[in-house]
């Protein structure tokens, strides 16, 4: 078995002990629109705040049509205190309007179409493709980028290059769940500043590239 696969299996086992990341939790409902909105809410926001705001919002508006019935002020009140809630309220309304007007109320399932929405970058688009539509896509956020470099899987300076490099080494069956696994792992063990390497199940397989101080 390759080291990459060994590491993925060990991290999968370890991540079962941790809370499921907010957008993954939302994706269990099987609705790409809710994955998109939740992902927009999650940017620069803690997971607990994101899931609570998502639940408050989806209680009132589960679809883009429902969302358009709400005022901007109401959306902002429902999603507060997510980071940049004022701007995110606008972005959610604008996306809902376009989904209704241009895509008959269904979130488009193509990368380029998703990237054309305001506020949607590769991270969000890939998460919607993977978790929302179950299409093979690798979502590289700050955790995936950092941990992939520490492990020595990639040597990259941007999430986009990490995504391209990971496509060559991560088995396809792990593409969709890679983000869920590494976000949970990165929030609890391979922490940004001082990772808990002495407790890590992949210690012997990790290059710890760039790790200066660890516990
Ligand atoms: S050994 Fe340290 S740097 Fe490597 S994955 Fe584990 S916690 Fe992260």
């Amino acid at each position: 078995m390759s080291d990459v696969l060994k590491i993925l299996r060990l991290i999968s086992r370890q991540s079962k002990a941790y809370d499921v990341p907010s957008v993954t939790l939302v994706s269990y409902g099987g609705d790409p629109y809710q994955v998109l909105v939740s992902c927009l809410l999650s940017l620069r926001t803690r997971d607990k705040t994101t899931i609570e705001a998502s639940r408050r919002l989806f209680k009132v508006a589960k679809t883009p049509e429902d969302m358009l019935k709400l005022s901007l002020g109401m959306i902002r009140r429902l999603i507060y205190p997510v980071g940049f809630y004022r701007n995110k309220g606008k972005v959610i309304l604008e996306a809902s309007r376009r989904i209704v007007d241009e895509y008959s109320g269904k979130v488009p399932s193509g990368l380029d179409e998703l990237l054309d929405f305001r506020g949607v970058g590769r991270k969000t688009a890939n998460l919607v493709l993977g978790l929302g539509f179950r299409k093979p896509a690798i979502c590289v956020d700050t955790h995936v980028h950092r941990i992939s470099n520490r492990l020595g899987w990639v040597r990259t300076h941007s999430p986009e290059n990490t995504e391209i490099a990971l496509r060559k080494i991560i088995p396809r069956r792990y593409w969709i769940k890679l983000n869920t696994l590494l976000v949970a792992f990165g929030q609890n063990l391979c922490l940004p500043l001082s990772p808990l390497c002495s407790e890590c199940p992949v210690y012997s397989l990790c290059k710890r590239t760039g790790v200066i101080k660890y516990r």
Side-chain angles (χ1 to χ4, degrees):
M1 191 194 300
S2 72
D3 280 358
V4 170
L5 198 51
K6 272 187 210 158
I7 290 171
L8 285 167
R9 289 195 174 172
L10 288 165
I11 290 180
S12 298
R13 205 174 300 154
Q14 182 75 21
S15 292
K16 287 197 180 107
Y18 306 139
D19 285 344
V20 176
S22 57
V23 182
T24 307
L25 265 183
V26 167
S27 77
Y28 293 165
D31 183 339
Y33 175 69
Q34 292 186 14
V35 173
L36 172 63
V37 171
S38 187
C39 199
L40 290 169
L41 291 175
S42 75
L43 307 173
R44 306 273 198 107
T45 300
R46 289 162 59 98
D47 253 30
K48 185 171 179 295
T49 309
T50 300
I51 194 67
E52 287 171 0
S54 300
R55 285 181 178 143
R56 278 195 304 277
L57 185 61
F58 298 148
K59 219 171 173 181
V60 183
K62 288 188 173 56
T63 66
E65 290 85 356
D66 290 344
M67 199 66 75
L68 292 178
K69 291 180 193 146
L70 303 182
S71 68
L72 178 57
M74 171 67 97
I75 294 174
R76 283 172 172 165
R77 275 196 293 283
L78 287 165
I79 65 176
Y80 181 85
V82 300
F84 306 99
Y85 70 97
R86 294 180 64 79
N87 189 49
K88 285 180 186 174
K90 271 196 211 164
V91 167
I92 289 169
L93 257 188
E94 187 184 309
S96 302
R97 165 62 59 207
R98 287 193 59 191
I99 291 166
V100 169
D101 289 351
E102 298 172 32
Y103 298 99
S104 311
K106 303 273 178 244
V107 175
S109 62
L111 181 67
D112 291 339
E113 293 159 303
L114 286 166
L115 288 173
D116 195 45
F117 281 77
R118 189 157 74 94
V120 174
R122 289 192 77 84
K123 182 184 109 168
T124 300
N126 278 317
L127 211 54
V128 172
L129 291 180
L131 293 180
F133 290 102
R134 309 307 297 173
K135 285 185 166 187
I138 297 181
C139 167
V140 177
D141 69 352
T142 175
H143 295 290
V144 176
H145 180 61
R146 177 181 76 254
I147 297 168
S148 299
N149 274 281
R150 282 180 175 172
L151 285 166
W153 283 349
V154 300
R155 281 174 72 105
T156 52
H157 295 291
S158 73
E160 186 165 349
N161 286 337
T162 301
E163 184 193 325
I164 293 164
L166 286 177
R167 281 203 218 119
K168 295 182 190 137
I169 58 167
I170 300 295
R172 219 170 157 81
R173 65 183 185 280
Y174 276 93
W175 284 18
I176 295 175
K177 59 184 164 191
L178 187 72
N179 182 271
T180 301
L181 293 177
L182 295 192
V183 168
F185 192 66
Q187 286 173 339
N188 291 279
L189 204 137
C190 192
L191 304 169
L193 290 182
S194 186
L196 308 176
C197 300
S198 59
E199 298 171 23
C200 182
V202 302
Y203 183 88
S204 62
L205 299 165
C206 179
K207 292 195 166 54
R208 289 181 294 287
T209 306
V211 175
I212 298 159
K213 197 174 120 214
Y214 64 84
R215 290 177 276 166

